Amino acid sequence: MSSLNGNPLTDEPQDPAFVVSLNGSQGSLKGWVVVDSLHDGLAMGGTRMTPGVTQEEVAGLARDMTHKFTLAGLPIGGAKAGIVSDGSDREQTFRTFGRTVKPLLHGGIHLGIDMGVTPADRAVFFDEAGYDPRYRLGAPDMPIDWRTYYEPLIDCTGHGVGVAAITALEARGHQGPARVVVQGFGAVGRAVAHFLEERGHVVVGVADVEGTISASRLPVADLVAITDEFGRIDRSRLPQDVTVSQEQDAWLDVEADLLILAAQKHAINAENAHRVRAGLVVEGGNLSSSGEAKEKVRASGTVLVPGVIANIGGAASAALAVTRVVPFDLSADARKAWVFDWVGDRVRRNTRDLLEIAAAHAGDPLPTLLTARRKDRS
């Protein structure tokens, strides 16, 4: 294994391997690519586009990618890109982004999608960079194109988050249906809600950008049918007998056993952590809780499964292809099942081990688990 910032097999990397400031190539662009670690010259992570994204945020997300791949045992380093934009003039933005990051893409830094970036956006910047993940020097060619491989796996992140939730509920000895609140109803939130409802649990609260919807039982399929691509639920078409609140963080006040965080950065923070009612919190997003909030939640007796364990489906799906681990000779359905099973197995193992460490030792169990996984990879 090679790294530019120490040996992540034996100690935690303190600084990114390198940071690239994006000033635009033949166009206006502001942003960063942070490569936190390299594994045999490879790293990967999503591209986030929001008006307020910062270099610090991108660096934190890149570090989380390193942790995700370490915990999953995948032979690739962590990276992340951030674009400062409100999403206007998307075509020009992503063509400029593609030209700017072209050397990184062709040099082993695979950049995918994250908040504010769609598969269509990714297709634009891949095209502008002349980048095709099927071909990489020193690796076998992928026999199928990226879209054919990746699009059927869109719910894999939600699947992994659901597996983490079920595993943690079982480990805690929870009996019967759990009452679930899902904060964020984008692709991940919707997939988790479906996953848990199918297994007999009850969704009692859902939050989107406009507020919180709650009831003794929310029909997930009905809510999905009236939700747009950005996770916004049409209030004019809501089922009867639901409560609607526009109060900020009202999802924290819904009585629940399980809280799924699947939206913005630091949804739980130092100011609102005391309002968490659920006995179990599972992070379905990136940086869903601040460090201080995690400490407060743990101190209150609530169990929190971090995103670097639960939220690996999308990242792992891509990494399995980039590193050529996935068996491409399988049929499309069998290949999808293989990836979902692989992700589920890793999430289940890491969730169980994390909770066992937490039960035996005070404090944050994640560093101990990361150390054990680094030893596994060495």
Side-chain angles (χ1 to χ4, degrees):
M1 176 173 184
S2 60
S3 173
L4 299 183
N5 58 337
N7 183 359
L9 290 177
T10 57
D11 51 52
E12 176 75 10
Q14 296 303 309
D15 298 304
F18 60 88
V19 178
V20 177
S21 294
L22 305 177
N23 298 312
S25 175
Q26 303 171 45
S28 177
L29 185 72
K30 179 182 178 181
W32 306 269
V33 174
V34 178
V35 178
D36 184 70
S37 60
L38 288 163
H39 191 296
D40 292 336
L42 295 177
M44 68 165 290
T47 302
R48 173 167 295 197
M49 183 173 73
T50 65
V53 69
T54 64
Q55 181 178 334
E56 180 184 17
E57 180 180 351
V58 177
L61 292 164
R63 177 59 51 87
D64 270 10
M65 294 302 295
T66 291
H67 288 169
K68 287 182 183 183
F69 296 141
T70 299
L71 290 164
L74 282 163
I76 195 166
K80 209 77 176 185
I83 301 171
V84 181
S85 173
D86 63 3
S88 58
D89 198 11
R90 303 181 76 88
E91 177 83 13
Q92 182 60 41
T93 295
F94 285 105
R95 293 217 171 273
T96 302
F97 180 70
R99 291 191 297 270
T100 306
V101 300
K102 178 178 180 179
L104 297 176
L105 291 171
H106 289 278
I109 311 303
H110 178 88
L111 300 174
I113 59 176
D114 193 68
M115 186 182 297
V117 180
T118 69
D121 298 327
R122 178 183 57 202
V124 170
F125 72 75
F126 276 12
D127 177 69
E128 193 66 23
Y131 173 65
D132 190 334
R134 289 180 297 177
Y135 311 116
R136 178 166 59 80
L137 189 64
D141 292 346
M142 285 178 59
I144 56 176
D145 66 87
W146 190 258
R147 181 175 178 179
T148 299
Y149 168 74
Y150 197 77
E151 286 194 357
L153 305 174
I154 189 66
D155 288 340
C156 195
T157 297
H159 174 78
V161 176
V163 169
I166 294 292
T167 303
L169 285 169
E170 292 174 350
R172 287 171 55 83
H174 184 89
Q175 301 294 320
R179 297 167 299 167
V180 183
V181 170
V182 181
Q183 184 264 338
F185 213 52
V188 174
R190 295 193 297 269
V192 177
H194 267 307
F195 181 98
L196 294 172
E197 186 181 62
E198 288 173 353
R199 285 156 181 80
H201 301 289
V202 181
V203 177
V204 297
V206 168
D208 65 3
V209 294
E210 295 184 357
T212 299
I213 297 164
S214 60
S216 59
R217 178 186 292 269
L218 289 170
V220 174
D222 291 349
L223 287 184
V224 170
I226 60 172
T227 302
D228 67 19
E229 62 179 318
F230 301 105
R232 183 181 290 105
I233 300 168
D234 185 350
R235 271 31 179 199
S236 70
R237 301 166 60 194
L238 283 172
Q240 294 182 345
D241 302 322
V242 301
T243 300
V244 180
S245 173
Q246 294 181 334
E247 181 185 349
Q248 186 177 15
D249 297 347
W251 45 273
L252 283 164
D253 300 321
V254 180
E255 291 286 350
D257 306 299
L258 167 63
L259 171 60
I260 303 291
L261 301 177
Q264 79 270 21
K265 169 188 174 186
H266 293 176
I268 298 181
N269 50 63
E271 287 69 40
N272 66 14
H274 68 282
R275 292 171 57 192
V276 174
R277 297 189 178 195
L280 172 63
V281 177
V282 178
E283 293 186 331
N286 296 310
L287 304 180
S288 297
S289 309
S290 69
E292 187 175 354
K294 284 183 171 69
E295 292 180 10
K296 289 186 174 183
V297 167
R298 282 195 301 270
S300 73
T302 293
V303 171
L304 186 145
V305 181
V308 292
I309 286 177
N311 172 250
I312 71 163
S317 296
L320 286 165
V322 171
T323 57
R324 307 299 193 257
V325 173
V326 69
F328 290 108
D329 57 334
L330 296 176
S331 68
D333 288 344
R335 185 171 58 245
K336 176 180 177 179
W338 187 94
V339 172
F340 272 61
D341 288 346
W342 191 98
V343 168
D345 287 345
R346 295 307 187 278
V347 170
R348 190 175 298 106
R349 177 195 178 200
N350 283 327
T351 301
R352 287 173 176 165
D353 288 355
L354 182 87
L355 296 182
E356 288 181 3
I357 294 168
H361 305 283
D364 185 359
L366 185 59
T368 301
L369 183 59
L370 280 164
T371 297
R373 296 294 182 259
R374 290 189 191 105
K375 290 179 179 177
D376 291 344
R377 289 174 68 180
S378 61

